[in-house]
Amino acid sequence: MKTNSKKLFAGGLGQLTIPLIAIALLVIFNLIRDPSFFSINLSQNNDGNIVLAGNLISIINGASELAILAMGMTLVTAACGGQDISVGAAAAIAGDVFIKVIKAGSVINAGIVILAFLSACLVAMIFGAFNGILVAVFRIQPMIATLILYTCGRSIAYWINGGATPNVKSSILSGIGSFIPGIPIPTPVLIVALMAIIFKLLFRFTSLELLTQSVGINESAAKLNGINTTFIKILSFVILGVCVCVAGIIGTSRLGLINHETLLLDVEMDAILAVAIGGNSLGGGKFKISGSIIGAYVIQMLTTTLYAMKVSSTDVKAYKAIVIILLVVIGSPVVKKKFDKLVRQRISLKKNDSKGAAQA
Amino acid sequence: MQTDPLLQMRHIVKIFPGVLALNGVDFTLRKGEIHALMGENGAGKSTLIKVLTGVYSSDGGEIKVDGQVISIKSPQDAQNHGISTVYQEITLCPNLTVAENMFIGREDSVWIKRKDYEKKADEILSNLGIPARSTQELGNCSLAVQQMVAIARAVDMKCKVLILDEPTSSLDDKEVNMLFDLMRDLKSKGVGIIFVTHFLEQVYEVSDRITVLRNGELVGEYTVEELPQVELVSKMIGKELGELSSMGEHEEAEENKKEVFYEAEGLSSSDALPFDFKIRKGEVNGFTGLLGSGRSESVRAIFGADKVTGGNVKINGKKVSITKPIEAMRNGIGYLAEDRKRDGIIADLSVRENIILALQVMNGILRPISRSEAESYADEYIKMLNIKTASRETPVGSLSGGNQQKVILARWLLTHPEYLILDEPTRGIDVGTKLEIQKLVLKLAEDGVSVTFISSEIEEMLRTCSRLVVMRDRHIVGELKGKDLNQTKVMQTIAGGESENEDKQ
Amino acid sequence: MKTKKFKEPLTNTQLLMTITICIFIGMYLLAMGILGGGFLHAQQIFDMLNDNASLIIVSLGLTIVMIGGGIDISVGAVTSLTVMSCVLYLNRGGSVVGSILLAIAIGLAFGIVQGLLISYLEIQPFIVTLAGMFFARGFTTILSVDPQKVDHAGFEVLRKAKLEIPWLGYYAGNGNLVPARIELGVFVALLCFVLVFILLKFLKLGRAFYAIGGNQTSALMLGINVKFTRFISYLICGVLSGISGFVFTMHTGAGNATNAAGMEMNAIASSIIGGTLLTGGVGNPIGTFFGALTLTTIKKIVVSSGLNDPWWQSITTGGMLCFFILLQSVVLSKRSKKKK
């Protein structure tokens, strides 16, 4: 236990230290404020399913889209040293395509939903590739390159369904957006888990992780080692496209309708934040997807906590900002260096003490 | 002969945790002299310079300027005492004009007196014979001119002591000459210049005096006349000549029997002019020539590192196309790049990841090397090359230069190349590692691997290579073999037709 | 040897700016020729200035930050917060001078805090200003969720103050002369423009912004206080956001939580179209000014062409942005190749 805490303070957990501390602090804060905050109970929902309910479940459920986007964003950040700010707009496009295809059929069955998913995915991947080409081939800063789609993405989404916000009533969609009958865990949570496993497998059975990090850390050296850096960068954007599509479809299915104006509004900022809170450098290079996922939950837990404290939904941003600043200040290089120095001094002092004792 | 001591450093001591970096070093600079500071990496050259410029504080000894003891606590202090430094990397802003670069950061008013600055700058530039206009954007000037603008800035700051830290490493021949003219000019104006460089030839071209350091200690101070080049080398490495030449005796006769592995005809790239080249199995050849002679560009063309623009390439007699590094790698070619930091290591990744990188890329993205495999590869090469690292998971950026180089060597050895190109593998690393790398090269050749070896130190090339391709002005000007492989002959070939020009001076 | 006057080739800054100005003029002339109508009246330009005075001010601040190699995405939110604060202050009986000071103080506060965190604690500017944006937006709604209209006699006078130029006016359908009108805010924007221009061109500090954006290590070696310079760039940007908020209030006369939504991205787009590079060291206030005008001209043209669907505006804006970004990328890479 003692060694563990020492390790924690000496940065033994590495980049996960700060997001984990943040979660721990939020949990403790909530438990003191309201001991029953994290209670989970089984209840029957409107569709007659027995499901899990409670603040903890709504946090984990609510963070799903963010967590999925954060995974893809981490990869883009690592490879390109910049962020995609068009994910919200692209998700709206994916959602609109999804609904459009579903509406095209006369009946809604599993086949058409899968077809809709695949077409939405394809569209999102094409937009991802567009961003990726701007970044990798034309060497435009990611933020600037994706500013284009950020500006006009929601308008493209508007155009797909002719400005309407069509709704779809279907048990399949509610199965994606809320619960599958018989399974008490919200489906979005399962999808996050599935995506995390897919990423894990992707890194296990391909060398994408090593190659992406190499490109992000030292592009010139990566090139001379035969890595196709352009391909890796575009690939990272295409993978983010898949994440965007999945997140867009979850968001759409939750409501059973697509609103191109409000779907995942401002999510790009939260997604970038999740990456940063997870201890990943926004300048690219080494990354941990797990950090970003934890970062997403930190953000969602913070939001839910504020809601629970009766802060109105529009005001939440202000308090969120304060916590974010605190987190990044603690994690800032200058503060870290000072802290490391302090720790090292303490350790060397102790060593000297024990040495002195031994000599005596 | 001017002998007034301008700068005296006496018994300078600098201690880093666990290392005595400078052990009572003396250094004297006289007015109007160019004084070369020589030594292998780790000899204490840069530490001494940093003590003088206030980057480090010394742990003992005194510094006198014009006979007065001074204390230097920061680079600003050094500048106030008339000590200016021009670093290897250009430390100017490319997006500002020449005049702005010369005056920024030392204006006395809030306003920019653009016209004044430009007038003054033009005066200084023409006085020093620097071919630049004050209104020009610095980024549009050649590297040499940028370097000179940095010197002009230093000169205008009334510097008495000018430190040039590896100023020539990114300049071509002509630019080097321009720089030397400027140095001689400043010398005649009474400025004392400390010249730090790796290029022995350049030392003899401009310097008056040489101070040699080794392992943090002063070896001695000599005038150029009393210290021939060969002796300088032996003073720097601390070995006698006999020892140096004992390594690697080549049996020329056998060489020609081996089959040709790689053959290029009229190969050219965006940076290299067309050239012909071939190498046999198990042969060690070298590309030599001054920096900027095109030797690095040529081997980069072989590896496909720059855009290949033409030529026929045959491997084992079969025609192949190599336009990208990955194609070269698939054909059994490995390339250790010249700039270790920029083109070699992936600093934040572990030793293990750095070692398996090239093999992994060759395997392709879909066939990852498993963790346990990677670990055993890493352990094998750490042991084989005697890489000093805390563990295989240590980030490679925290290793010493020599060990970083070994990691990159391991990376290429792991791909089991049939032809390995080593561009300056020994630059900036300690003598021990240098010898290890040289031995490794010879051993690889014995095992049938073809090796191309490039080094700025001709001595080193002579020791390892059985054939030397000599380049000048981006052309191959000669090929030396057998008994032609000696310092004089190499020098003559490198100098070539230019010896006439030198006679005129 | 006599020093001859040598015509220097255009620097990257000048080249990109020239391209933008040419495209702007060409586009405007085309609109005049093909669309006619409103584009033939001088008022069209003045309207663009009236509507975008605060965007121009914000973009100028952002240009300074971007030249220094940073980014500030809090500018729109700070503008919005300033609008709301000024409106509430005026409605509670505050004075006009007081509200101006309040606007500047809010901007200054954001500039100082963000600048300190970015320069002295070395936190990534994107994250700091993102938090700044969240804070300002959140705080705006804490002040008031409902729209607030200014009800203040003194301020109304200021708000209504307009420069009318009869000879630039036009005859409306009923035969009455409608003089050209320029709002006070435009003059504030022009003043800011002149000040920023002088700062960047003639002051030591201005050149220091270019230096740290061009090469930070070099700037340090050249004796520039990099941290302080960067801090000041954010401070100026903050103050300009505050001023922009006040100008916004003068233009709309009301505070609303959704004021200036998306303004940060419009400001970034203006700077980029004007030839500022996000990588730092390259940029020019003149370019930014025309960048903002180009952005609004595109929107005006789309509307005048009868493409009334709201999505056309942003799609053409996006397309235009794409065009400019690609153009810059191509021009700059051609240049660097030529140099080689």
Side-chain angles (χ1 to χ4, degrees):
Chain A
M1 184 63 214
K2 210 183 158 193
T3 50
N4 267 343
S5 66
K6 214 185 205 170
K7 234 184 170 181
L8 193 69
F9 283 111
L13 276 172
Q15 62 177 79
L16 297 185
T17 313
I18 285 173
L20 286 177
I21 289 177
I23 284 203
L25 286 179
L26 280 167
V27 169
I28 292 166
F29 176 78
N30 275 313
L31 284 177
I32 293 170
R33 203 179 47 81
D34 173 13
S36 67
F37 188 77
F38 290 111
S39 66
I40 295 173
N41 52 321
L42 282 170
S43 66
Q44 199 164 31
N45 71 358
N46 297 341
D47 298 338
N49 296 324
I50 304 291
V51 296
L52 290 168
N55 280 322
L56 193 60
I57 298 299
S58 64
I59 289 169
I60 296 175
N61 186 12
S64 303
E65 290 98 319
L66 187 55
I68 291 169
L69 288 175
M71 293 182 211
M73 190 72 83
T74 313
L75 211 58
V76 166
T77 301
C80 309
Q83 291 76 37
D84 184 343
I85 57 169
S86 69
V87 288
I93 296 176
D96 260 300
V97 170
F98 182 64
I99 296 290
K100 176 117 187 162
V101 174
I102 287 182
K103 282 254 171 189
S106 48
V107 282
I108 300 171
N109 55 25
I112 197 125
V113 171
I114 290 173
L115 182 70
F117 168 73
L118 289 178
S119 12
C121 228
L122 184 69
V123 171
M125 281 158 80
I126 290 172
F127 279 106
F130 169 74
N131 285 334
I133 289 169
L134 285 182
V135 170
V137 179
F138 291 93
R139 317 212 138 261
I140 298 164
Q141 287 232 334
M143 206 186 129
I144 300 299
T146 55
L147 180 64
I148 297 167
L149 193 58
Y150 173 91
T151 311
C152 60
R154 287 188 190 271
S155 294
I156 295 172
Y158 171 103
W159 168 75
I160 293 170
N161 276 315
T165 53
N167 60 338
V168 177
K169 267 245 166 298
S170 154
S171 59
I172 298 178
L173 254 62
S174 69
I176 299 172
S178 46
F179 294 92
I180 296 169
I183 299 175
I185 301 166
T187 321
V189 177
L190 298 175
I191 297 176
V192 172
L194 182 70
M195 290 296 284
I197 292 170
I198 291 176
F199 267 103
K200 188 87 197 155
L201 293 177
L202 189 66
F203 293 152
R204 179 84 175 68
F205 291 106
T206 72
S207 56
L208 190 66
E209 192 175 13
L210 178 65
L211 300 189
T212 306
Q213 292 187 355
S214 303
V215 172
I217 297 167
N218 189 340
E219 196 182 336
S220 168
K223 246 184 209 159
L224 282 177
N225 278 292
I227 300 177
N228 187 342
T229 54
T230 314
F231 172 71
I232 296 284
K233 283 181 178 176
I234 295 176
L235 184 66
S236 73
F237 271 98
V238 171
I239 293 174
L240 175 61
V242 176
C243 295
V244 162
C245 170
V246 173
I249 285 169
I250 294 176
T252 313
S253 303
R254 272 189 209 276
L255 299 172
L257 70 86
I258 171 75
N259 184 338
H260 55 87
E261 291 285 341
T262 55
L263 179 73
L264 295 175
L265 191 64
D266 291 340
V267 79
E268 50 275 344
M269 301 300 171
D270 276 345
I272 297 169
L273 203 57
V275 174
I277 290 178
N280 298 301
S281 157
L282 293 189
K286 267 188 102 77
F287 69 92
K288 265 206 174 109
I289 295 242
S290 54
S292 304
I293 298 175
I294 298 174
Y297 290 121
V298 170
I299 294 171
Q300 191 64 29
M301 190 181 274
L302 185 61
T303 315
T304 313
T305 307
L306 289 168
Y307 284 153
M309 289 167 72
K310 305 270 180 312
V311 176
S312 87
S313 66
T314 46
D315 301 351
V316 160
K317 279 184 176 171
Y319 300 98
K320 214 157 99 180
I322 295 169
V323 179
I324 293 164
I325 285 295
L326 283 178
L327 280 180
V328 292
V329 165
I330 296 169
S332 83
V334 174
V335 175
K336 236 182 203 161
K337 235 183 255 162
K338 290 241 163 84
F339 185 76
D340 277 357
K341 217 173 166 187
L342 214 76
V343 169
R344 229 177 289 137
Q345 270 172 3
R346 289 293 284 284
I347 289 173
S348 68
L349 265 179
K350 263 187 200 160
K351 261 189 195 158
N352 286 345
D353 280 0
S354 59
K355 255 188 206 163
Q359 275 171 2
Chain B
M1 195 171 170
Q2 288 170 302
T3 46
D4 324 345
L6 177 62
L7 167 81
Q8 282 174 294
M9 298 176 84
R10 289 281 163 268
H11 305 294
I12 302 293
V13 176
K14 175 71 197 169
I15 303 165
F16 290 118
V19 188
L20 188 57
L22 289 177
N23 187 7
V25 171
D26 291 348
F27 181 80
T28 310
L29 182 71
R30 292 153 196 83
K31 233 180 195 156
E33 88 173 352
I34 298 175
H35 196 136
L37 185 58
M38 303 294 293
E40 295 279 276
N41 278 73
K45 277 180 314 197
S46 49
T47 314
L48 188 69
I49 296 292
K50 281 178 178 158
V51 166
L52 182 57
T53 52
V55 177
Y56 295 155
S57 58
S58 67
D59 296 315
E62 61 172 20
I63 300 174
K64 279 192 204 168
V65 170
D66 284 336
Q68 280 187 324
V69 178
I70 58 164
S71 81
I72 300 172
K73 292 198 184 71
S74 71
Q76 218 60 46
D77 273 354
Q79 246 162 44
N80 294 340
H81 285 112
I83 301 169
S84 287
T85 316
V86 173
Y87 295 92
Q88 181 178 0
E89 316 86 41
I90 309 285
T91 50
L92 298 175
C93 292
N95 58 333
L96 300 184
T97 67
V98 169
E100 281 170 339
N101 266 303
M102 284 173 66
F103 292 99
I104 201 166
R106 56 198 194 92
E107 309 99 330
D108 36 15
S109 75
V110 176
W111 297 89
I112 298 244
K113 299 177 207 140
R114 198 178 300 271
K115 286 274 163 295
D116 283 7
Y117 292 165
E118 281 168 9
K119 214 175 127 205
K120 251 204 246 157
D122 270 327
E123 260 168 41
I124 300 164
L125 292 173
S126 67
N127 270 344
L128 296 176
I130 299 171
R133 295 178 306 274
S134 63
T135 47
Q136 209 172 2
E137 201 174 56
L138 187 85
N140 286 333
C141 304
S142 70
L143 277 179
V145 170
Q146 295 189 23
Q147 192 86 263
M148 290 180 183
V149 171
I151 295 175
R153 179 183 160 100
V155 171
D156 189 52
M157 289 167 86
K158 304 278 170 299
C159 78
K160 293 179 254 180
V161 177
L162 179 63
I163 303 165
L164 300 176
D165 189 5
E166 297 274 356
T168 54
S169 53
S170 44
L171 305 186
D172 69 27
D173 242 9
K174 225 157 111 196
E175 293 173 328
V176 168
N177 281 329
M178 265 159 63
L179 180 70
F180 285 172
D181 287 341
L182 177 59
M183 283 166 70
R184 292 191 192 100
D185 188 36
L186 289 176
K187 170 181 149 179
S188 69
K189 288 179 177 141
V191 178
I193 298 174
I194 302 177
F195 181 40
V196 182
T197 183
H198 273 114
F199 302 107
L200 302 183
E201 297 84 1
Q202 295 178 356
V203 170
Y204 285 89
E205 208 177 324
V206 283
S207 307
D208 304 306
R209 230 173 258 271
I210 302 172
T211 289
V212 181
L213 300 183
R214 190 172 66 233
N215 295 331
E217 290 184 35
L218 179 74
V219 177
E221 190 197 272
Y222 315 89
T223 59
V224 173
E225 295 80 36
E226 71 189 10
L227 190 71
Q229 189 155 338
V230 200
E231 240 172 88
L232 171 60
V233 173
S234 74
K235 293 245 188 292
M236 280 164 64
I237 20 187
K239 282 194 179 109
E240 288 309 314
L241 272 180
E243 265 180 86
L244 285 173
S245 50
S246 65
M247 256 174 77
E249 290 291 316
H250 316 290
E251 289 132 68
E252 191 194 347
E254 223 175 280
E255 301 281 346
N256 286 328
K257 284 181 204 150
K258 295 173 188 160
E259 359 166 3
V260 172
F261 173 72
Y262 174 96
E263 187 169 6
E265 248 174 55
L267 183 64
S268 65
S269 78
S270 54
D271 292 0
L273 298 177
F275 67 97
D276 299 340
F277 174 72
K278 67 179 168 194
I279 189 162
R280 289 166 197 282
K281 280 186 181 161
E283 184 190 356
V284 181
N285 107 300
F287 271 78
T288 186
L290 296 174
L291 206 94
S293 59
R295 45 172 215 223
S296 290
E297 288 77 3
S298 300
V299 293
R300 281 176 71 95
I302 294 173
F303 189 64
D306 300 315
K307 198 176 168 218
V308 175
T309 51
N312 293 320
V313 174
K314 278 189 214 152
I315 285 187
N316 284 330
K318 253 188 263 159
K319 211 175 161 220
V320 292
S321 140
I322 295 178
T323 53
K324 286 194 293 248
I326 184 72
E327 288 166 353
M329 286 156 70
R330 294 223 171 92
N331 280 305
I333 304 177
Y335 169 61
L336 183 140
E338 186 183 6
D339 189 332
R340 184 176 62 235
K341 280 222 170 59
R342 205 188 65 203
D343 296 333
I345 58 167
I346 313 280
D348 294 343
L349 292 186
S350 66
V351 171
R352 166 180 56 86
E353 286 164 309
N354 268 284
I355 287 179
I356 63 162
L357 186 62
L359 183 65
Q360 178 60 71
V361 174
M362 279 173 72
N363 279 358
I365 193 164
L366 296 176
R367 279 175 45 213
I369 297 168
S370 75
R371 178 74 184 232
S372 57
E373 247 180 301
E375 282 175 2
S376 66
Y377 284 142
D379 287 344
E380 183 191 337
Y381 280 91
I382 288 172
K383 206 170 147 218
M384 184 173 117
L385 297 180
N386 193 17
I387 299 172
K388 290 191 188 77
T389 168
S391 84
R392 58 174 179 255
E393 301 304 326
T394 314
V396 80
S398 63
L399 267 52
S400 75
N403 284 306
Q404 288 181 0
Q405 198 68 286
K406 284 186 190 170
V407 169
I408 302 172
L409 263 172
R411 177 193 292 168
W412 289 114
L413 293 182
L414 185 59
T415 64
H416 298 291
E418 290 173 84
Y419 176 26
L420 193 55
I421 302 168
L422 305 173
D423 194 354
E424 296 267 19
T426 56
R427 183 199 270 187
I429 62 179
D430 58 283
V431 185
T433 313
K434 264 184 193 178
L435 289 176
E436 280 179 64
I437 289 179
Q438 289 164 18
K439 274 187 199 143
L440 181 75
V441 167
L442 295 174
K443 171 146 190 314
L444 283 173
E446 254 169 54
D447 297 346
V449 178
S450 319
V451 181
T452 287
F453 188 85
I454 295 182
S455 169
S456 292
E457 292 167 47
I458 289 171
E459 284 283 345
E460 191 174 65
M461 306 264 283
L462 293 175
R463 256 172 285 150
T464 41
C465 303
S466 56
R467 180 165 64 96
L468 272 185
V469 174
V470 183
M471 296 195 71
R472 184 179 64 229
D473 293 336
R474 306 175 71 200
H475 288 286
I476 293 178
V477 290
E479 215 177 289
L480 303 175
K481 271 193 261 188
K483 57 181 184 307
D484 282 344
L485 279 180
N486 60 59
Q487 187 117 17
T488 348
K489 188 78 192 169
V490 174
M491 290 299 196
Q492 273 171 5
T493 320
I494 289 178
E498 279 178 3
S499 54
E500 273 184 52
N501 295 340
E502 277 170 10
D503 291 343
K504 278 181 199 163
Q505 281 181 351
Chain C
M1 209 170 83
K2 263 190 181 175
T3 44
K4 261 185 271 169
K5 223 15 182 181
F6 188 89
K7 192 86 187 97
E8 295 297 337
L10 291 179
T11 59
N12 287 344
T13 314
Q14 291 162 340
L15 179 75
L16 293 177
M17 185 187 84
T18 316
I19 292 174
T20 303
I21 294 177
C22 288
I23 289 180
F24 168 71
I25 292 173
M27 208 167 63
Y28 205 89
L29 288 178
L30 222 64
M32 281 169 85
I34 296 169
L35 296 169
F39 284 97
L40 295 174
H41 302 304
Q43 185 62 36
Q44 183 82 357
I45 291 186
F46 295 139
D47 272 347
M48 289 188 337
L49 289 172
N50 289 340
D51 293 345
N52 291 293
S54 58
L55 174 66
I56 292 172
I57 298 173
V58 158
S59 307
L60 287 171
L62 199 63
T63 303
I64 294 179
V65 168
M66 281 167 73
I67 287 173
I71 187 84
D72 185 346
I73 55 169
S74 72
V75 287
V78 174
T79 299
S80 172
L81 176 63
T82 313
V83 175
M84 189 59 90
S85 311
C86 286
V87 171
L88 291 178
Y89 173 77
L90 286 166
N91 284 354
R92 295 209 178 139
S95 68
V96 172
V97 177
S99 69
I100 294 175
L101 290 179
L102 178 69
I104 294 178
I106 292 173
L108 191 64
F110 271 88
I112 288 177
V113 174
Q114 294 182 155
L116 283 177
L117 291 174
I118 294 165
S119 329
Y120 292 96
L121 287 185
E122 294 169 23
I123 307 174
Q124 287 155 330
F126 189 86
I127 294 300
V128 171
T129 55
L130 177 65
M133 171 176 136
F134 281 171
F135 184 79
R137 286 268 173 226
F139 207 76
T140 310
T141 60
I142 291 175
L143 287 178
S144 164
V145 184
D146 307 315
Q148 302 279 335
K149 214 172 149 28
V150 183
D151 186 17
H152 187 282
F155 187 75
E156 273 309 290
V157 175
L158 200 64
R159 193 167 121 62
K160 290 275 155 63
K162 285 186 179 105
L163 180 70
E164 300 204 341
I165 311 171
W167 58 273
L168 275 176
Y170 62 97
Y171 289 95
N174 55 11
N176 290 339
L177 177 76
V178 182
R181 291 201 183 89
I182 307 172
E183 287 177 19
L184 201 56
V186 176
F187 295 100
V188 178
L190 288 180
L191 181 70
C192 289
F193 170 73
V194 171
L195 289 178
V196 169
F197 182 79
I198 291 173
L199 166 71
L200 286 178
K201 185 102 188 171
F202 298 111
L203 288 191
K204 203 166 98 174
L205 183 65
R207 301 320 287 179
F209 292 144
Y210 282 95
I212 63 168
N215 188 334
Q216 192 182 318
T217 351
S218 294
L220 193 71
M221 294 284 196
L222 290 174
I224 291 167
N225 189 337
V226 173
K227 287 185 178 175
F228 180 72
T229 310
R230 179 167 299 135
F231 169 67
I232 292 292
S233 74
Y234 284 95
L235 188 144
I236 294 174
C237 184
V239 170
L240 285 172
S241 307
I243 295 174
S244 141
F246 189 78
V247 170
F248 200 101
T249 321
M250 284 206 294
H251 183 64
T252 59
N256 188 328
T258 56
N259 273 342
M263 193 195 234
E264 50 278 340
M265 291 305 163
N266 276 329
I268 292 176
S270 303
S271 302
I272 288 170
I273 293 178
T276 310
L277 296 185
L278 193 62
T279 37
V282 178
N284 191 312
I286 303 174
T288 304
F289 182 81
F290 280 99
L293 285 186
T294 308
L295 204 61
T296 46
T297 309
I298 297 163
K299 290 181 183 164
K300 287 256 171 185
I301 289 178
V302 170
V303 173
S304 313
S305 319
L307 300 168
N308 282 323
D309 287 323
W311 46 277
W312 269 115
Q313 263 195 39
S314 48
I315 286 185
T316 35
T317 311
M320 204 63 192
L321 202 56
C322 184
F323 168 74
F324 272 98
I325 290 170
L326 283 179
L327 186 75
Q328 286 177 7
S329 156
V330 170
V331 167
L332 288 184
S333 72
K334 266 231 170 101
R335 277 210 139 193
S336 62
K337 249 183 218 154
K338 220 184 192 176
K339 218 186 286 169
K340 245 187 169 179

